[in-house]
Amino acid sequence: MSLEKAEALVIRQADFSETSRVITLFSKEFGKSSALAKGAKRLKGPFDAGIDLLSRCRVVFIRKSSGSLDLLTEARLVSRFAPSGTNINSLYGGYYVADLLNGLTEEYDPAPEIYDLATDTLTKLMATDQHSLTSVVEFELGILRLSGLLGSLTECTVCGSPVTQSGQPLSKKFAPWISQGGLLCADCRRPEFSGRSISAGSVAALRQLSSDDSQLSGRLRLTKQQIVECHHFAVSTITSILGRRPSTLRYLDGI
Ligand SMILES: [Zn+2]
């Protein structure tokens, strides 16, 4: 048992009893963890707005030995995730970010870069001048890359056919080959590989969107079609890793 302090996002809440909740946190210091928040359901509870879904907060908790829940003792709000009232797509984008943080990370596996990516994404989603789906796709590809789950995006894994030649995308379609962490070109595809095909141009867009060079991704001018294809590619990969489609994905249809 030890007393820990961290900066965290609240990524899930579940009722535990008449008055208490179990809160899943994703913190910069510890990664994902779950803690019992006693009294959290009372109107004037001890945590105030600090543990609303997607709130960013400074927390203090007692870390228990493996197998039992941590105990949250303090949560101070740093910033609230509050897109403007008319911006429902950004709200849904935020729920999806929380869902992926919960599904794609392990307990007590610190990933400060993923934490920074998530807080940056939530900030972008709150800014109404940003296109919601672009921010969502950057997050999908970023969390896959930082988790080592994004395969090579330069060539067909089987025949070596490149995605680009002299910097120009080839007029070929490619599909994700998730079990091998790579791409398959249209010539090498077999019926059992179910992922949707995307154009070489969109693979090049994927490479740029998943780049850790934020200046590069900031300069991109992608078409809506390319962004949608990148989203489908990321969803195929995420669905394969989770063994199911993320449940909050259905809300993103309107973006
Ligand atoms: Zn091939």
Side-chain angles (χ1 to χ4, degrees):
M1 242 173 44
S2 57
L3 194 67
E4 308 282 11
K5 292 181 179 179
E7 183 184 307
L9 287 170
V10 177
I11 58 170
R12 194 163 182 268
Q13 295 184 324
D15 286 351
F16 183 78
S17 68
E18 287 279 297
T19 56
S20 302
R21 285 204 166 108
V22 173
I23 306 294
T24 305
L25 300 166
F26 189 81
S27 69
K28 191 159 188 162
E29 293 82 352
F30 302 102
K32 182 171 68 175
S33 62
S34 295
L36 181 62
K38 286 187 178 170
K41 289 171 72 179
R42 291 202 193 101
L43 270 181
K44 292 209 170 206
F47 306 109
D48 203 15
I51 53 172
D52 288 346
L53 188 63
L54 290 169
S55 278
R56 185 174 174 175
C57 50
R58 298 278 330 162
V59 293
V60 180
F61 61 94
I62 298 167
R63 185 169 169 180
K64 298 284 181 68
S65 55
S66 61
S68 50
L69 278 172
D70 297 341
L71 184 66
L72 190 68
T73 59
E74 200 178 309
R76 287 210 185 132
L77 183 67
V78 173
S79 61
R80 187 195 296 271
F81 178 63
S84 71
T86 54
N87 196 355
I88 192 81
N89 287 334
S90 290
L91 189 67
Y92 291 153
Y95 293 161
Y96 182 60
V97 165
D99 199 7
L100 294 192
L101 286 171
N102 192 38
L104 293 175
T105 64
E106 301 290 332
E107 293 232 326
Y108 281 107
D109 181 11
E113 288 178 307
I114 293 178
Y115 181 83
D116 289 339
L117 174 70
T119 53
D120 284 354
T121 302
L122 295 176
T123 303
K124 281 187 199 169
L125 286 171
M126 278 194 285
T128 48
D129 60 335
Q130 285 278 342
H131 197 281
S132 297
L133 188 59
T134 306
S135 301
V136 165
V137 175
E138 281 176 344
F139 180 76
E140 289 172 322
L141 296 171
I143 191 171
L144 288 171
R145 178 178 60 79
L146 292 168
S147 308
L149 299 169
L150 195 66
S152 166
L153 299 172
T154 54
E155 62 198 11
C156 171
T157 308
V158 174
C159 71
S161 172
V163 172
T164 52
Q165 219 153 40
S166 315
Q168 293 302 311
L170 297 180
S171 59
K172 223 177 194 185
K173 290 258 183 186
F174 290 83
W177 191 10
I178 289 143
S179 63
Q180 301 295 315
L183 295 169
L184 277 177
C185 77
D187 298 336
C188 298
R189 272 194 86 169
R190 299 289 177 270
E192 60 269 31
F193 303 127
S194 58
R196 285 195 221 196
S197 292
I198 68 174
S199 66
S202 290
V203 177
L206 272 174
R207 273 173 28 201
Q208 288 179 293
L209 280 172
S210 63
S211 162
D212 55 3
D213 180 349
S214 59
Q215 282 193 325
L216 180 69
S217 58
R219 280 201 305 271
L220 287 175
R221 284 287 171 268
L222 300 179
T223 64
K224 172 91 186 197
Q225 175 66 19
Q226 283 176 320
I227 292 166
V228 168
E229 287 198 354
C230 290
H231 175 55
H232 289 156
F233 182 98
V235 167
S236 295
T237 307
I238 291 163
T239 299
S240 166
I241 292 162
L242 297 178
R244 59 174 172 83
R245 282 169 72 82
S247 58
T248 51
L249 196 55
R250 63 182 187 276
Y251 299 129
L252 296 187
D253 288 349
I255 293 185

